[in-house]
Amino acid sequence: MKTSKIQLMAEIAMCAALAIVFDFLPLFTAPQGGSVSLTMIPVFLIAFRWGLKQGLITGLLLAILQLITKPYYVHPIQIFLDYIAAFTSIGLAGIVFKQIKNNLANGNKTSAAVYIIIGTFIGSLARFICHFIAGVVFYGSYAPKGTPVPLYSLVYNAWYMVPSFIISAALLIILLSSAPILVNVKKNRNQAA
């Protein structure tokens, strides 16, 4: 029992650290913040490996690391929305961890892929909603003249969140289909590699 708790804590810490490294290596960066990156993948991995609670903890740890390493804030509520709530909510993907593990254990890669997409979508959407609300409330002054602030926040945040979701889902499907051990699923000898 102690060994699994120590392993869990070590994995959460390593994945949060990997997520912050990915955050420093964006694929594309938006002008007023936000980026297309692989940052969410380690949080999703913990959520799919261990479950909802552990995914939320990993996301929260990532938020704290971001506040320490790359802080940008205009108001305490904005800090909560753009950091604490946004990155913690990525862990909501853990809602489907049992379905992913069961399908991978049974060799049903298609169903596992569907649940990976669903989980990744849930976590990405929750993060998007937090950034969208922060955008409407705190960054409306960046909206071009004549553009409704909610529309501006929707488009701006979708610009980096949609590609991040797609990239995360695709990479996780590839990773978990080829190496189900990443979510504590051992291949059966009877299953084809």
Side-chain angles (χ1 to χ4, degrees):
M1 186 77 164
K2 274 188 175 181
T3 304
S4 66
K5 283 189 178 187
I6 292 169
Q7 177 184 351
L8 170 62
M9 290 188 301
E11 288 180 17
I12 287 173
M14 289 187 321
C15 282
L18 181 58
I20 200 72
V21 168
F22 285 156
D23 196 46
F24 280 104
L25 303 168
L27 305 173
F28 303 102
T29 302
Q32 283 94 29
S35 62
V36 177
S37 72
L38 306 177
T39 302
M40 296 190 294
I41 291 176
V43 180
F44 288 136
L45 191 56
I46 290 292
F48 295 156
R49 181 174 169 87
W50 293 98
L52 177 64
K53 179 181 168 186
Q54 294 80 359
L56 294 170
I57 291 168
T58 308
L60 177 61
L61 186 54
L62 170 59
I64 292 166
L65 290 171
Q66 285 194 325
L67 279 169
I68 293 168
T69 60
K70 295 172 62 171
Y72 179 83
Y73 49 88
V74 295
H75 191 276
I77 295 173
Q78 175 265 328
I79 292 171
F80 175 76
L81 286 170
D82 269 339
Y83 290 94
I84 306 300
F87 290 96
T88 301
S89 68
I90 296 168
L92 290 172
I95 290 170
V96 296
F97 92 105
K98 287 182 181 175
Q99 291 87 345
I100 292 169
K101 291 174 92 157
N102 289 339
N103 280 294
L104 287 172
N106 293 326
N108 192 342
K109 291 181 180 182
T110 303
S111 288
V114 169
Y115 282 108
I116 290 167
I117 292 168
I118 291 169
T120 306
F121 179 76
I122 290 168
S124 298
L125 179 64
R127 178 182 168 197
F128 170 81
I129 290 168
C130 295
H131 291 313
F132 170 76
I133 294 168
V136 169
V137 176
F138 297 103
Y139 300 108
S141 62
Y142 291 109
K145 191 173 184 175
T147 303
V149 172
L151 177 62
Y152 171 74
S153 183
L154 178 79
V155 171
Y156 184 88
N157 287 295
W159 179 88
Y160 65 90
M161 284 301 306
V162 171
S164 292
F165 155 67
I166 293 169
I167 292 167
S168 294
L171 289 176
L172 284 162
I173 289 169
I174 293 166
L175 274 171
L176 300 182
S177 293
S178 59
I181 191 75
L182 291 172
V183 288
N184 284 331
V185 173
K186 292 176 177 64
K187 286 185 179 181
N188 292 335
R189 288 182 212 170
N190 300 337
Q191 290 178 3

